[in-house]
């Protein structure tokens, strides 16, 4: 009897700013290295960029693939023969939110997240830590972000509907990286590319 393995994917921009990863390909593999099998679901110790050589070696281990929806959700139907199995979970990024640059054909970035046993997990909610996710966004997609909160310095209350502009600082000229309006929590986000500065 089959069962559904469900989860969601997000990327952390900073400690309190998380974005939904929609349109991301999620792949389930039988473990490439059996000693990686674990009950842990944080993935921090196993996270890595998958090289083209590794991806080629693991082709025969691929069990299933799907794509996250607009809310970053995904699901897999796990057949009975794999119910007690551990799986490597990888994602393939063809783009990231607000990115302008896309990899050339066949150059999407494959990331190994972790190895888990899905039947032991009711719902798998995975957020890529900001130190990793921001590096992926910048290095591979030239997608940079400035985010933060605007608060009253005396009351510490958020300032909503305020306009925030970011500038780079260099020797010749300061470039305008973008402008955003704070939300009801005083949060703002400005996306830009290296071409701007």
């Amino acid at each position: 009897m089959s069962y559904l393995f469900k989860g969601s994917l997000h990327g952390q921009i900073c400690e309190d700013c998380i974005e939904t990863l929609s349109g991301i390909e999620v792949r389930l593999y039988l473990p490439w290295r059996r000693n990686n099998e674990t009950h842990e679901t944080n993935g921090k110790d196993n996270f890595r960029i998958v090289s083209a050589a590794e991806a080629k070696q693991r082709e025969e281990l691929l069990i299933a693939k799907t794509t996250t929806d607009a809310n970053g959700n995904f699901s897999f139907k796990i057949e009975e023969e794999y119910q007690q199995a551990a799986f490597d979970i990888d994602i393939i990024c063809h783009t990231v939110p607000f990115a302008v640059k896309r990899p050339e054909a066949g150059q999407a970035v494959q990331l190994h997240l972790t190895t888990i046993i899905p039947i032991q997990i009711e719902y798998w909610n995975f957020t890529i830590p900001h130190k990793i996710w921001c590096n992926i966004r910048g290095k591979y997609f030239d997608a940079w972000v400035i985010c933060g909160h605007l608060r009253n310095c005396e009351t510490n209350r958020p300032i909503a509907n305020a306009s925030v502009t970011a500038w780079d600082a260099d020797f010749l000229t300061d470039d305008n990286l973008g402008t955003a309006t704070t939300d009801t929590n005083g949060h703002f986000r400005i996306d830009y590319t290296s071409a701007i500065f």
Side-chain angles (χ1 to χ4, degrees), residues 162-175:
S163 181
V164 178
T165 301
W167 300 80
D168 74 341
D170 56 37
F171 293 111
L172 300 177
T173 182
D174 295 336
D175 299 307

Side-chain angles (χ1 to χ4, degrees), residues 149-160 183-186:
H149 287 87
L150 191 62
R151 294 188 172 96
N152 184 300
C153 61
E154 294 180 358
T155 66
N156 203 35
R157 290 183 179 173
I159 300 173
D183 63 16
T184 55
N185 297 313

